[in-house]
Amino acid sequence: SRSMGADVAPRNPWQVLRPFLAPALWSMLGLALAAAGYAAWHLKSLRQLNADLAAIASGHDQTIDPASAPAALILARTNDLLRTDRLDEAQALAAVASPRLAPAENAKILFNLANYRLRQAAALVEKGDLDGATALVNLSKGEYRVALRLISDNWDLKYNLDVAMRMVRDLPLGESEPEDVPPDAPKRLWTDVPGVPKGLP
């Protein structure tokens, strides 16, 4: 025999989804507001960065926080300090910022520090201070080598390291001056290139 039970009408899909619509809409609204807030913050940060870079480029002594400043600002400030012969401050800034910078950014800073030392070494040679020049060249070679370990395919780094190595060649450990050279004989800073190399970085 056939069942005489009442027929059950199918439920409206919207009735099933209705309890979930409000939370979903609120979530979407929250995400949209968060995205808008982030975009506004990012735009404000970019404007501030551009203002700081412009201030440095115009010669203002812009103070920055090495622990939080963007890499572009660290690089610009380091270059500005080197331009005004404030090597110690540039090194201190780079040392604090270095752990959080990318390898390529650290390499750029080391490259600029080494270039500065080479220029200073050339100036010392003109003054006859070969000991001081030799020390600066050796420091620059070390910085070029560290930078090359960070970005090994950079041609400018390789070229400048080659220039520095020609200015003061690397002596093997234990090698010394010939015994027949008088102790008061003038030192030869450049052994492979006659005179002061031109075209320093």
Side-chain angles (χ1 to χ4, degrees):
S1 61
R2 298 180 58 185
S3 172
M4 301 297 293
D7 293 336
V8 178
R11 296 185 64 184
N12 189 330
W14 289 108
Q15 292 178 336
V16 177
L17 296 176
R18 184 176 297 172
F20 305 99
L21 287 178
L25 289 174
W26 280 111
S27 297
M28 292 174 63
L29 179 60
L31 289 173
L33 290 174
Y38 174 79
W41 171 83
H42 187 61
L43 179 61
K44 180 180 179 181
S45 298
L46 284 178
R47 287 176 175 171
Q48 184 61 51
L49 173 61
N50 289 334
D52 291 338
L53 291 174
I56 291 175
S58 63
H60 290 285
D61 193 15
Q62 193 79 0
T63 302
I64 64 173
D65 182 5
S68 61
L73 195 56
I74 296 291
L75 184 60
R77 176 59 173 164
T78 303
N79 291 345
D80 184 62
L81 290 170
L82 294 176
R83 181 183 58 81
T84 53
D85 295 322
R86 296 154 70 181
L87 175 61
D88 290 342
E89 292 180 58
Q91 289 184 139
L93 175 62
V96 175
S98 175
R100 63 183 186 82
L101 297 182
E105 294 158 352
N106 274 317
K108 288 178 182 178
I109 293 177
L110 288 168
F111 180 67
N112 291 336
L113 289 170
N115 288 347
Y116 177 86
R117 295 188 202 280
L118 278 190
R119 289 192 293 267
Q120 294 299 103
L124 290 180
V125 170
E126 296 295 337
K127 298 176 182 178
D129 183 1
L130 300 187
D131 288 333
T134 300
L136 285 174
V137 172
N138 285 331
L139 286 173
S140 73
K141 288 192 294 185
E143 287 166 338
Y144 285 136
R145 288 183 175 118
V146 173
L148 274 172
R149 284 197 289 270
L150 296 173
I151 46 174
S152 58
D153 59 346
N154 187 279
W155 188 88
D156 290 332
L157 273 169
K158 293 177 181 178
Y159 179 86
N160 286 12
L161 175 59
D162 182 69
V163 170
M165 292 179 69
R166 289 176 181 272
M167 291 170 69
V168 178
R169 58 189 183 96
D170 294 323
L171 297 177
L173 292 176
E175 184 174 333
S176 60
E177 295 293 328
E179 295 181 2
D180 57 348
V181 176
D184 58 347
K187 296 183 178 180
R188 297 176 60 196
L189 181 60
W190 283 277
T191 58
D192 298 321
V193 180
V196 177
K198 302 301 180 182
L200 283 177

Coordinates of all heavy atoms in Angstrom, one line a residue, residues 33-91:
L33 N 38.7 47.0 4.1 CA 39.2 48.1 4.9 C 40.7 47.9 5.2 O 41.4 48.9 5.2 CB 38.4 48.2 6.2 CG 36.9 48.7 6.0 CD1 36.2 48.6 7.3 CD2 36.9 50.1 5.5
A34 N 41.1 46.7 5.5 CA 42.5 46.4 5.8 C 43.4 46.7 4.6 O 44.4 47.3 4.7 CB 42.7 45.0 6.3
A35 N 42.9 46.3 3.4 CA 43.7 46.5 2.2 C 43.8 48.0 1.9 O 44.9 48.5 1.6 CB 43.0 45.8 1.0
A36 N 42.7 48.8 2.2 CA 42.7 50.2 2.0 C 43.7 50.9 2.9 O 44.4 51.8 2.6 CB 41.3 50.8 2.1
G37 N 43.6 50.4 4.2 CA 44.6 51.0 5.2 C 46.0 50.7 4.9 O 46.9 51.6 5.0
Y38 N 46.3 49.5 4.4 CA 47.7 49.2 4.0 C 48.1 50.0 2.8 O 49.3 50.5 2.8 CB 47.8 47.7 3.7 CG 49.2 47.3 3.2 CD1 50.2 47.2 4.0 CD2 49.4 47.2 1.8 CE1 51.5 46.8 3.5 CE2 50.6 46.9 1.3 CZ 51.7 46.7 2.2 OH 52.9 46.4 1.7
A39 N 47.3 50.2 1.9 CA 47.6 51.0 0.7 C 47.9 52.4 1.1 O 48.9 53.1 0.6 CB 46.5 51.0 -0.3
A40 N 47.1 53.0 2.0 CA 47.3 54.3 2.5 C 48.6 54.4 3.2 O 49.4 55.4 3.1 CB 46.1 54.8 3.4
W41 N 48.9 53.5 4.1 CA 50.2 53.5 4.9 C 51.4 53.4 3.9 O 52.4 54.0 4.1 CB 50.2 52.3 5.8 CG 51.5 52.1 6.5 CD1 52.0 52.8 7.6 CD2 52.5 51.2 6.1 NE1 53.3 52.3 7.9 CE2 53.6 51.4 7.0 CE3 52.6 50.3 5.1 CZ2 54.8 50.6 6.9 CZ3 53.8 49.5 5.0 CH2 54.9 49.7 5.9
H42 N 51.3 52.5 2.9 CA 52.4 52.3 2.0 C 52.6 53.6 1.2 O 53.8 53.9 0.9 CB 52.0 51.1 1.0 CG 53.1 50.7 0.1 ND1 54.3 50.3 0.6 CD2 53.2 50.8 -1.3 CE1 55.1 50.0 -0.5 NE2 54.5 50.3 -1.6
L43 N 51.6 54.2 0.7 CA 51.7 55.5 0.0 C 52.4 56.5 0.9 O 53.3 57.3 0.4 CB 50.3 56.0 -0.5 CG 50.3 57.3 -1.3 CD1 51.2 57.2 -2.5 CD2 48.9 57.7 -1.6
K44 N 51.9 56.6 2.1 CA 52.6 57.6 3.0 C 54.0 57.3 3.2 O 54.9 58.2 3.3 CB 51.8 57.6 4.4 CG 52.4 58.6 5.4 CD 51.6 58.5 6.7 CE 52.2 59.5 7.7 NZ 51.5 59.4 9.0
S45 N 54.4 56.0 3.4 CA 55.8 55.6 3.6 C 56.6 56.0 2.3 O 57.8 56.4 2.5 CB 55.9 54.1 3.8 OG 55.2 53.8 5.0
L46 N 56.1 55.7 1.1 CA 56.8 56.1 -0.1 C 57.0 57.6 -0.2 O 58.1 58.0 -0.6 CB 56.0 55.6 -1.3 CG 56.1 54.1 -1.6 CD1 55.2 53.8 -2.8 CD2 57.5 53.6 -1.8
R47 N 56.0 58.4 0.2 CA 56.2 59.8 0.1 C 57.2 60.3 1.1 O 58.0 61.2 0.8 CB 54.8 60.5 0.5 CG 53.8 60.4 -0.7 CD 52.5 61.0 -0.3 NE 51.6 61.0 -1.4 CZ 50.3 61.3 -1.3 NH1 49.7 61.6 -0.2 NH2 49.5 61.3 -2.4
Q48 N 57.2 59.7 2.3 CA 58.3 60.0 3.3 C 59.6 59.6 2.8 O 60.6 60.4 3.0 CB 57.9 59.3 4.7 CG 58.9 59.7 5.8 CD 58.8 61.2 6.1 OE1 57.8 61.8 6.3 NE2 60.0 61.9 6.1
L49 N 59.8 58.5 2.2 CA 61.1 58.0 1.7 C 61.6 59.0 0.6 O 62.7 59.4 0.6 CB 60.9 56.6 1.2 CG 62.2 56.1 0.4 CD1 63.4 56.0 1.3 CD2 61.9 54.7 -0.2
N50 N 60.7 59.3 -0.3 CA 61.1 60.3 -1.3 C 61.5 61.6 -0.8 O 62.4 62.2 -1.3 CB 59.9 60.4 -2.4 CG 59.7 59.2 -3.2 OD1 60.7 58.4 -3.4 ND2 58.5 59.0 -3.7
A51 N 60.8 62.1 0.3 CA 61.1 63.4 0.9 C 62.5 63.3 1.6 O 63.3 64.2 1.4 CB 60.1 63.7 1.9
D52 N 62.8 62.1 2.2 CA 64.1 62.0 2.9 C 65.2 61.9 1.9 O 66.3 62.5 2.1 CB 64.1 60.7 3.8 CG 63.2 60.9 5.0 OD1 62.9 62.0 5.4 OD2 62.7 59.8 5.5
L53 N 65.0 61.1 0.8 CA 66.0 61.0 -0.3 C 66.3 62.4 -0.9 O 67.4 62.7 -1.2 CB 65.5 60.0 -1.3 CG 65.5 58.6 -0.9 CD1 64.9 57.7 -2.0 CD2 66.9 58.1 -0.5
A54 N 65.2 63.2 -1.1 CA 65.4 64.5 -1.7 C 66.1 65.4 -0.8 O 67.0 66.2 -1.2 CB 64.0 65.1 -2.0
A55 N 65.9 65.3 0.5 CA 66.6 66.1 1.5 C 68.1 65.8 1.5 O 68.9 66.6 1.6 CB 66.0 65.9 2.9
I56 N 68.4 64.5 1.5 CA 69.8 64.1 1.4 C 70.5 64.5 0.1 O 71.6 65.1 0.1 CB 69.9 62.5 1.5 CG1 69.5 62.1 2.9 CG2 71.3 62.1 1.2 CD1 69.5 60.6 3.1
A57 N 69.8 64.4 -1.0 CA 70.3 64.8 -2.3 C 70.6 66.3 -2.3 O 71.5 66.8 -3.0 CB 69.4 64.4 -3.4
S58 N 69.8 67.1 -1.6 CA 70.0 68.5 -1.6 C 71.0 69.0 -0.6 O 71.2 70.2 -0.5 CB 68.6 69.2 -1.4 OG 68.1 68.9 -0.1
G59 N 71.6 68.1 0.1 CA 72.7 68.4 1.0 C 72.3 68.6 2.5 O 73.1 69.0 3.3
H60 N 71.1 68.3 2.8 CA 70.6 68.4 4.2 C 71.2 67.2 5.0 O 71.3 66.1 4.5 CB 69.1 68.4 4.3 CG 68.5 69.6 3.8 ND1 68.5 70.8 4.5 CD2 67.8 69.8 2.7 CE1 67.8 71.7 3.8 NE2 67.4 71.2 2.7
D61 N 71.6 67.5 6.2 CA 72.2 66.5 7.1 C 71.1 65.7 7.7 O 70.7 65.9 8.9 CB 73.1 67.2 8.2 CG 74.0 66.2 8.9 OD1 74.1 65.0 8.4 OD2 74.5 66.5 10.0
Q62 N 70.6 64.8 7.0 CA 69.4 64.0 7.4 C 69.7 62.9 8.3 O 70.5 62.0 8.0 CB 68.7 63.4 6.1 CG 67.3 62.9 6.3 CD 66.3 64.0 6.4 OE1 66.6 65.2 6.3 NE2 65.0 63.7 6.6
T63 N 69.2 62.9 9.5 CA 69.4 61.8 10.5 C 68.4 60.7 10.3 O 67.2 61.0 10.2 CB 69.3 62.4 11.9 OG1 70.3 63.4 12.1 CG2 69.6 61.3 12.9
I64 N 68.9 59.5 10.2 CA 68.0 58.4 10.0 C 68.2 57.3 11.1 O 69.3 57.3 11.7 CB 68.1 57.8 8.6 CG1 69.5 57.2 8.4 CG2 67.8 58.8 7.5 CD1 69.7 56.4 7.2
D65 N 67.3 56.4 11.2 CA 67.4 55.3 12.2 C 67.9 54.1 11.4 O 67.2 53.5 10.6 CB 66.1 55.0 12.8 CG 66.2 53.9 13.9 OD1 67.3 53.4 14.1 OD2 65.1 53.5 14.4
P66 N 69.2 53.7 11.6 CA 69.7 52.5 10.9 C 69.0 51.2 11.2 O 69.1 50.3 10.4 CB 71.2 52.5 11.3 CG 71.2 53.1 12.6 CD 70.1 54.2 12.6
A67 N 68.3 51.1 12.3 CA 67.6 49.9 12.6 C 66.3 49.7 11.9 O 65.7 48.6 12.0 CB 67.4 49.8 14.1
S68 N 65.8 50.8 11.3 CA 64.4 50.7 10.7 C 64.3 51.4 9.3 O 63.4 51.1 8.6 CB 63.4 51.3 11.6 OG 63.6 52.6 11.9
A69 N 65.3 52.2 9.0 CA 65.2 52.9 7.7 C 65.3 52.0 6.5 O 65.9 50.9 6.6 CB 66.3 53.9 7.6
P70 N 64.6 52.3 5.4 CA 64.6 51.5 4.2 C 66.0 51.4 3.7 O 66.9 52.3 3.9 CB 63.7 52.2 3.2 CG 62.8 53.1 4.1 CD 63.6 53.4 5.3
A71 N 66.3 50.4 2.9 CA 67.6 50.2 2.4 C 68.1 51.3 1.5 O 69.2 51.7 1.5 CB 67.7 48.9 1.6
A72 N 67.2 51.9 0.7 CA 67.5 53.0 -0.2 C 68.0 54.2 0.6 O 68.9 54.9 0.2 CB 66.3 53.3 -1.1
L73 N 67.4 54.4 1.7 CA 67.7 55.5 2.6 C 69.1 55.3 3.2 O 69.9 56.2 3.4 CB 66.7 55.8 3.6 CG 66.7 57.1 4.4 CD1 66.7 58.3 3.4 CD2 65.5 57.2 5.3
I74 N 69.3 54.0 3.7 CA 70.6 53.7 4.2 C 71.8 53.9 3.2 O 72.8 54.5 3.5 CB 70.7 52.2 4.7 CG1 69.6 51.9 5.8 CG2 72.0 51.8 5.1 CD1 70.0 52.6 7.1
L75 N 71.5 53.5 2.0 CA 72.5 53.7 1.0 C 72.8 55.1 0.6 O 73.9 55.6 0.5 CB 72.1 52.9 -0.3 CG 73.1 52.9 -1.5 CD1 74.4 52.3 -1.1 CD2 72.5 52.2 -2.7
A76 N 71.7 55.9 0.5 CA 71.8 57.3 0.2 C 72.6 58.1 1.3 O 73.4 58.9 1.1 CB 70.5 57.9 0.0
R77 N 72.2 57.7 2.6 CA 72.8 58.4 3.7 C 74.3 58.0 3.8 O 75.2 58.9 4.1 CB 72.1 58.0 5.0 CG 72.7 58.6 6.3 CD 72.8 60.1 6.3 NE 73.2 60.6 7.6 CZ 73.6 61.8 7.8 NH1 73.7 62.7 6.8 NH2 74.0 62.2 9.0
T78 N 74.6 56.8 3.6 CA 76.0 56.3 3.6 C 76.9 57.1 2.6 O 78.0 57.6 2.8 CB 76.1 54.8 3.4 OG1 75.4 54.1 4.3 CG2 77.6 54.3 3.5
N79 N 76.3 57.2 1.4 CA 77.0 57.9 0.3 C 77.2 59.4 0.6 O 78.2 59.9 0.3 CB 76.2 57.8 -1.0 CG 76.3 56.3 -1.6 OD1 77.1 55.5 -1.1 ND2 75.4 56.0 -2.5
D80 N 76.2 59.9 1.3 CA 76.3 61.3 1.6 C 77.4 61.6 2.7 O 78.1 62.5 2.7 CB 74.9 61.8 2.2 CG 75.0 63.3 2.5 OD1 75.2 64.1 1.5 OD2 74.7 63.7 3.6
L81 N 77.5 60.6 3.7 CA 78.5 60.7 4.7 C 79.9 60.6 4.1 O 80.8 61.3 4.4 CB 78.3 59.7 5.8 CG 77.1 59.9 6.7 CD1 76.8 58.7 7.5 CD2 77.2 61.1 7.5
L82 N 80.0 59.7 3.1 CA 81.3 59.6 2.4 C 81.7 60.8 1.6 O 82.8 61.2 1.5 CB 81.3 58.3 1.5 CG 81.2 57.0 2.3 CD1 81.1 55.8 1.3 CD2 82.4 56.7 3.2
R83 N 80.6 61.4 1.0 CA 80.9 62.6 0.2 C 81.4 63.7 1.0 O 82.2 64.5 0.6 CB 79.5 63.0 -0.5 CG 79.6 64.2 -1.4 CD 78.3 64.6 -1.9 NE 77.3 64.8 -0.9 CZ 77.2 66.0 -0.2 NH1 78.0 67.0 -0.5 NH2 76.3 66.1 0.7
T84 N 81.0 63.8 2.3 CA 81.4 64.8 3.2 C 82.6 64.4 4.1 O 82.8 65.0 5.1 CB 80.2 65.3 4.0 OG1 79.6 64.2 4.7 CG2 79.2 66.0 3.2
D85 N 83.2 63.3 3.7 CA 84.4 62.8 4.4 C 84.2 62.4 5.8 O 85.0 62.6 6.7 CB 85.6 63.8 4.3 CG 86.1 64.0 2.9 OD1 86.1 63.1 2.2 OD2 86.3 65.2 2.6
R86 N 83.0 61.8 6.1 CA 82.7 61.3 7.4 C 82.6 59.8 7.4 O 81.6 59.1 7.6 CB 81.3 61.9 7.8 CG 81.4 63.4 8.0 CD 80.1 64.1 7.8 NE 79.1 63.9 8.9 CZ 77.9 64.3 8.9 NH1 77.5 65.1 7.9 NH2 77.1 64.1 9.9
L87 N 83.8 59.2 7.2 CA 83.9 57.7 7.0 C 83.5 57.0 8.2 O 82.8 56.0 8.1 CB 85.4 57.4 6.6 CG 85.7 55.9 6.5 CD1 84.9 55.2 5.5 CD2 87.2 55.7 6.3
D88 N 83.9 57.4 9.4 CA 83.5 56.7 10.6 C 82.0 56.6 10.8 O 81.5 55.6 11.2 CB 84.2 57.4 11.9 CG 85.7 57.3 11.9 OD1 86.2 56.4 11.2 OD2 86.4 58.0 12.6
E89 N 81.3 57.7 10.5 CA 79.9 57.7 10.7 C 79.2 56.8 9.6 O 78.3 56.1 9.9 CB 79.3 59.1 10.5 CG 79.7 60.0 11.6 CD 79.1 61.4 11.4 OE1 77.8 61.5 11.3 OE2 79.9 62.4 11.4
A90 N 79.8 56.8 8.4 CA 79.3 55.9 7.4 C 79.5 54.4 7.8 O 78.6 53.6 7.6 CB 80.0 56.2 6.1
Q91 N 80.6 54.1 8.3 CA 80.9 52.7 8.7 C 80.0 52.3 9.9 O 79.5 51.2 9.9 CB 82.3 52.6 9.2 CG 83.3 52.6 8.0 CD 84.8 52.4 8.5 OE1 85.5 51.7 7.8 NE2 85.1 52.9 9.6

